[in-house]
Amino acid sequence: MKKIILLISIVSLAIACKKKEAEPFKKKPEPVSEGMQATVKTPEELGESIFTGKGNCTSCHQIDTKTIGPSVHEIAKIYKEQNGDIVKFLKGEGEAIVDPSQFEVMKANFAITKALSDEELKGLEAYIYSK
């Protein structure tokens, strides 16, 4: 009887050890040094990524060509000349000063621009002025 209990114990132990060996090796996360810097985008780079990405701006605006909406060059020029506030406009709180006839088309995109953070909107503004 003792031999049977001892044999069952050994087999159980062997099975338990085998299961642990079968578990996949989990890679430990790499430590981050306090001296390492995170990659930070400039406002212009952030603005460009929004302009060409989730902002959907390129569907109506090109850098130097008027398509559906005015070109980025024209927007920057007019906003500078009239001391306009691009961020306020993109929040849906300002008047259309570049091409008021296209304002209704732009209003459809306010759902996108209103959802952007102030940092993202300022990045868009910086990108537009950099062109």
Side-chain angles (χ1 to χ4, degrees):
M1 179 77 172
K2 287 182 185 181
K3 288 182 181 181
I4 293 176
I5 293 175
L6 181 60
L7 184 61
I8 291 174
S9 298
I10 292 172
V11 170
S12 297
L13 184 59
I15 291 172
C17 289
K18 185 140 184 124
K19 283 185 181 178
K20 285 209 180 240
E21 289 175 11
E23 288 182 14
F25 174 72
K26 293 182 182 178
K27 186 176 180 182
K28 292 181 182 179
E30 293 182 29
V32 177
S33 170
E34 288 183 21
M36 295 174 71
Q37 293 183 351
T39 303
V40 178
K41 289 183 177 181
T42 66
E44 291 83 4
E45 291 171 333
L46 174 62
E48 181 178 15
S49 69
I50 293 167
F51 189 88
T52 59
K54 74 178 182 178
N56 198 29
C57 307
T58 55
S59 63
C60 296
H61 302 281
Q62 299 301 310
I63 299 300
D64 57 2
T65 306
K66 179 178 178 20
T67 54
I68 295 170
S71 72
V72 174
H73 287 161
E74 185 179 6
I75 294 168
K77 179 181 177 231
I78 291 172
Y79 268 87
K80 283 179 184 177
E81 288 173 354
Q82 296 188 17
N83 199 26
D85 188 338
I86 293 174
V87 171
K88 189 173 181 180
F89 175 72
L90 293 174
K91 287 182 174 183
E93 301 168 355
E95 295 181 33
I97 61 174
V98 178
D99 189 357
S101 66
Q102 292 295 319
F103 182 67
E104 290 301 315
V105 175
M106 179 62 189
K107 277 175 62 174
N109 288 314
F110 282 151
I112 296 170
T113 58
K114 285 180 179 181
L116 297 174
S117 70
D118 286 341
E119 179 185 13
E120 291 171 319
L121 290 170
K122 288 178 183 177
L124 266 175
E125 179 181 53
Y127 174 69
I128 290 168
Y129 284 139
S130 74
K131 298 297 167 189

